């Protein structure tokens, strides 16, 4: 259900941060005014947003691991957010429908892309709950974590420093998270072990992959 990715090299991270440093950041509630748990800043500069979101979007769409895991149909332009001391984003699930200028998308997968290092700030972990358990993520610059949008998650309060990330939402060709994960696992096994199988069995596995995709893909 979760996938950690190496998405950007250091030059790309530096370019994104340099562009963002010249843009205006405003209260994150501008995009969710009724939220009682959102306390962060987000990039609110059209030129900087267009430039950074293109770099991030292109990196996602050219990343084989991301494509194999997410089966992306549509990807929202990634948005840079900042968290300074005392800021947090309380426990929430992401909205099912994300409005965009060219039409809404369904959020099946959420993705956080880390732009500064885990030692650059205290606190601020992305905490994703799983029943009574949970997972915490503070990635290296240029890494990302993708996770189901329906999960309850939060950004824990910042004690010191600054947390800078980009966030985006993905509409998958396979809407059901269980089916999507089964398809991913089957494709991984076929890629890793397929050439070791007898040809007739590999052919049968391929037919199974293709037919499941026909059944499950929107």
């Amino acid at each position: 259900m979760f996938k950690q990715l190496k998405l950007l090299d250091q030059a790309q991270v530096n370019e994104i941060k340099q562009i963002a440093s010249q843009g205006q950041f405003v209260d994150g509630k501008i995009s969710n005014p009724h939220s009682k748990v959102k306390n962060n800043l987000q990039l609110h500069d059209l030129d900087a947003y267009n430039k950074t979101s293109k770099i991030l979007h292109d990196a996602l769409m050219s990343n084989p691991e991301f494509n194999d895991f997410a089966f992306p149909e549509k990807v929202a332009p990634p948005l840079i957010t900042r968290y300074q001391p005392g800021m947090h984003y309380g426990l929430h699930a992401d909205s099912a429908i994300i409005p965009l200028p060219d039409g809404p998308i369904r959020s099946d997968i959420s993705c956080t892309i880390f732009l500064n290092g885990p030692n650059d700030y205290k606190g601020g972990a992305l905490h994703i709950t799983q029943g009574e358990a949970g997972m915490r993520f503070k990635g290296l610059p240029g890494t990302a974590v993708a996770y189901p949008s329906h999960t309850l998650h939060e950004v824990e309060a910042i004690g010191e420093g600054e947390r800078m990330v980009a966030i985006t939402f993905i509409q998958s060709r396979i809407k059901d998270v269980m089916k999507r994960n089964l398809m991913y696992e089957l494709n991984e096994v076929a890629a890793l072990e397929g050439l070791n199988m007898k040809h007739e069995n590999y052919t049968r596995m391929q037919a199974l992959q293709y037919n499941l995709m026909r059944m499950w893909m929107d």
Side-chain angles (χ1 to χ4, degrees):
M1 295 178 67
F2 306 90
K3 185 69 174 176
Q4 296 186 75
L5 306 162
K6 179 68 176 76
L7 193 64
L8 305 166
D9 61 31
Q10 190 59 51
Q12 290 171 306
V13 171
N14 292 343
E15 182 180 6
I16 289 167
K17 292 174 73 173
Q18 192 275 331
I19 295 169
S21 70
Q22 300 179 30
Q24 179 188 16
F25 281 77
V26 300
D27 188 335
K29 285 191 175 71
I30 193 171
S31 59
N32 192 358
H34 303 295
S35 174
K36 297 182 179 180
V37 295
K38 189 175 187 180
N39 180 14
N40 63 6
L41 301 170
Q42 68 183 48
L43 185 62
H44 193 65
D45 180 292
L46 185 58
D47 184 55
Y49 172 61
N50 287 338
K51 289 177 179 177
T52 56
S53 65
K54 184 179 188 310
I55 297 169
L56 291 159
H57 182 273
D58 289 350
L60 282 167
M61 297 309 294
S62 63
N63 186 283
E65 284 190 275
F66 170 74
N67 283 277
D68 290 345
F69 176 78
F71 302 91
E73 175 77 19
K74 299 177 183 177
V75 178
L79 174 67
I80 295 176
T81 65
R82 294 165 57 190
Y83 292 77
Q84 296 174 338
M87 292 184 173
H88 67 282
Y89 200 146
L91 199 64
H92 66 284
D94 290 324
S95 176
I97 302 297
I98 307 297
L100 296 174
D102 58 351
I105 71 168
R106 183 186 67 239
S107 65
D108 299 318
I109 300 167
S110 300
C111 183
T112 296
I113 305 161
F114 298 95
L115 297 173
N116 55 1
N119 295 325
D120 292 336
Y121 54 98
K122 291 185 178 180
L126 171 65
H127 176 214
I128 304 172
T129 66
Q130 283 281 76
E132 295 183 355
M135 302 177 70
R136 286 177 168 83
F137 299 91
K138 288 182 69 171
L140 295 170
T143 63
V145 57
Y147 50 97
S149 299
H150 70 265
T151 54
L152 288 173
H153 56 278
E154 63 182 329
V155 176
E156 296 172 337
I158 297 289
E160 297 178 11
E162 180 178 86
R163 177 187 193 261
M164 179 180 284
V165 301
I167 57 169
T168 187
F169 307 95
I170 298 98
Q171 179 173 314
S172 176
R173 291 188 176 93
I174 303 178
K175 177 169 62 173
D176 184 275
V177 63
M178 181 61 73
K179 292 175 181 176
R180 186 167 63 246
N181 288 328
L182 288 172
M183 196 74 249
Y184 170 69
E185 291 293 333
L186 179 59
N187 289 346
E188 285 285 284
V189 171
L192 293 170
E193 299 294 335
L195 296 180
N196 298 323
M197 299 171 67
K198 290 182 179 180
H199 176 70
E200 57 269 27
N201 289 336
Y202 184 51
T203 300
R204 291 174 65 189
M205 178 180 281
Q206 283 187 313
L208 176 62
Q209 290 173 275
Y210 299 156
N211 288 328
L212 286 175
M213 282 191 248
R214 288 187 183 97
M215 290 172 59
W216 292 348
M217 282 192 170
D218 291 340

